[in-house]
Each structure stands twice: as C-alpha cells, then as structure tokens.
Amino acid sequence: MLASGAATALGRYLGRRLNCPVLRGAGTASGLFFAFCLYFFRDPQRTPPPREGLAVAPADGRVVSVEKVAPPVELAMGDTPVWRIATFLSVLDVHVNRSPVAGSVARVAYHPGKFLNASLDKASTENERNAISIVLPDGRMVAVVQIAGLIARRIVCSVKPGDALEAGERFGLIRFGSRTDLYLPPGVTPLVSAGQTMIGGETVMAQLDG
C-alpha cells in the first residue's frame, strides 16, 4: 500500500514536470488503487453485545450456507456433525476477522489449497485456509476458519495456542475477497440463515447457553 502511494506521488510529480500525459495517467491509476487499498484495509471499531453466552459474527459479509458438517479434520474436534455458518466476504466488505466468542485458543492449523470462488460450498475443504479452535470457559469448542478466495492470496492470523480472546476481538485478516466459516458446539443452533448480512463482532449468530 505504501508503494502504491509513493508511485502515485511520483507519477503525478514527473507527469507535471515533464508534461507527460502517460505519467500523469499512471499517477492517476496508482492513486485510484491506493484509495481502494485504504478502503479495503479499513478497520472500524465494533461493539460486541454486552450479554455473555453469545457467538458473534467473525466477519462482515453475507451468509451463504448454514448446514451440519464435521469440523475441520486438522483441528481434531471429532467427526460429529455440528452447525457450520459460512460467510462470504466481497472485496467491498471489511476483511478484519474477529473472535466469535470469549475463550482460549486451543489450536491453529494452516492448510494449503486451491483458490476457488469462496462462495462455493467446496471452498471450505479445497481452498487454502487457516483453522482456529477456541475453548470456551465450560470446555466446549468453537472453530473459526479463514478461507482464501478467488482473488485472496494472503491469510493473516495473529494468534497462537494459549492466547486468550474476547468476543469480537481482532485476530486476523484475509486480503481481497474471502470466506469465514464458524463451527458451533454440538447442540447449539444458529440464529441466522443464508442470505443475511453479518457485521463482524456485533451480529449474534448463536446463543451458547440455554
């Protein structure tokens, strides 16, 4: 992003000094890309619900599927199907990932893979991804998976096993279009459905207690 900003300034400066339309045009194009990067990497403040025992959205975007599947194998959470809520992030959505619950990171597992359209169901198993399991205070497990998309080529995760997370706390980022899957504990039913729009760190996706 800094390189884009520097290219913008240099292109415009040289374009004016040399009276070169090509350089001025290049400076304008770089400026537009720089503005897009600033917009894409925005990180607005979010306020999680004050009530405990909730799972909030780990990302902005649109829910593309809600179904029961086995948790990611790499997290060693067993093969009993649980509810998975898949959220697709377009390039216009905020791409900061947030913890859906308060708990302790149990495992972080990176898995290389393809770069299929993240809105496809098979992206959960075939695309490059980074899976995180979180232990709740009562011992139950929640998983959140960062999945690269058709354009995304970079998954950023800032947590490691043993780290404590609060609900809505930032833990990573996926650059330029992606998907985030949330796996709920057994017996917990989603409160959202396909087609709904999520606000990361704020939208309630499930009630964990009661």
Side-chain angles (χ1 to χ4, degrees):
M1 191 164 66
L2 290 176
S4 177
T8 299
L10 181 61
R12 290 180 175 176
Y13 172 76
L14 292 177
R16 288 194 301 268
R17 288 294 297 249
L18 301 177
N19 194 26
C20 177
V22 174
L23 286 175
R24 287 199 299 271
T28 299
S30 295
L32 291 174
F33 180 71
F34 180 62
F36 170 74
C37 286
L38 287 176
Y39 177 76
F40 180 86
F41 288 106
R42 67 197 186 280
D43 184 10
Q45 186 65 34
R46 297 288 168 77
T47 304
R51 193 175 140 203
E52 296 182 356
L54 301 175
V56 297
D60 286 27
R62 177 175 55 87
V63 175
V64 292
S65 70
V66 180
E67 58 184 335
K68 275 194 170 183
V69 299
V73 175
E74 58 266 31
L75 291 179
M77 292 172 58
D79 56 6
T80 301
V82 296
W83 285 106
R84 181 190 69 193
I85 306 171
T87 303
F88 174 72
L89 294 76
S90 76
V91 294
L92 299 180
D93 288 312
V94 173
H95 273 59
V96 174
N97 292 134
R98 298 170 183 272
S99 177
V101 296
S104 176
V105 177
R107 182 174 296 194
V108 178
Y110 169 78
H111 190 285
K114 300 177 182 179
F115 296 97
L116 304 174
N117 188 322
S119 65
L120 300 176
D121 188 61
K122 59 184 178 180
S124 290
T125 55
E126 296 188 23
N127 277 22
E128 175 179 311
R129 62 187 183 272
N130 187 66
I132 302 167
S133 57
I134 304 171
V135 183
L136 299 173
D138 60 11
R140 290 181 296 169
M141 303 283 285
V142 170
V144 59
V145 185
Q146 301 168 283
I147 303 171
L150 187 65
I151 302 174
R153 290 294 188 273
R154 176 70 170 165
I155 296 175
V156 178
C157 178
S158 60
V159 297
K160 61 184 183 302
D163 287 350
L165 288 171
E166 294 296 329
E169 183 177 345
R170 301 170 180 85
F171 74 85
L173 173 76
I174 316 174
R175 295 175 182 171
F176 300 119
S178 54
R179 171 171 163 168
T180 303
D181 288 353
L182 172 65
Y183 292 79
L184 299 173
V188 175
T189 303
L191 297 177
V192 299
S193 57
Q196 285 188 247
T197 299
M198 301 292 101
I199 299 177
E202 293 189 350
T203 304
V204 175
M205 302 188 91
Q207 182 174 324
L208 301 173
D209 52 358

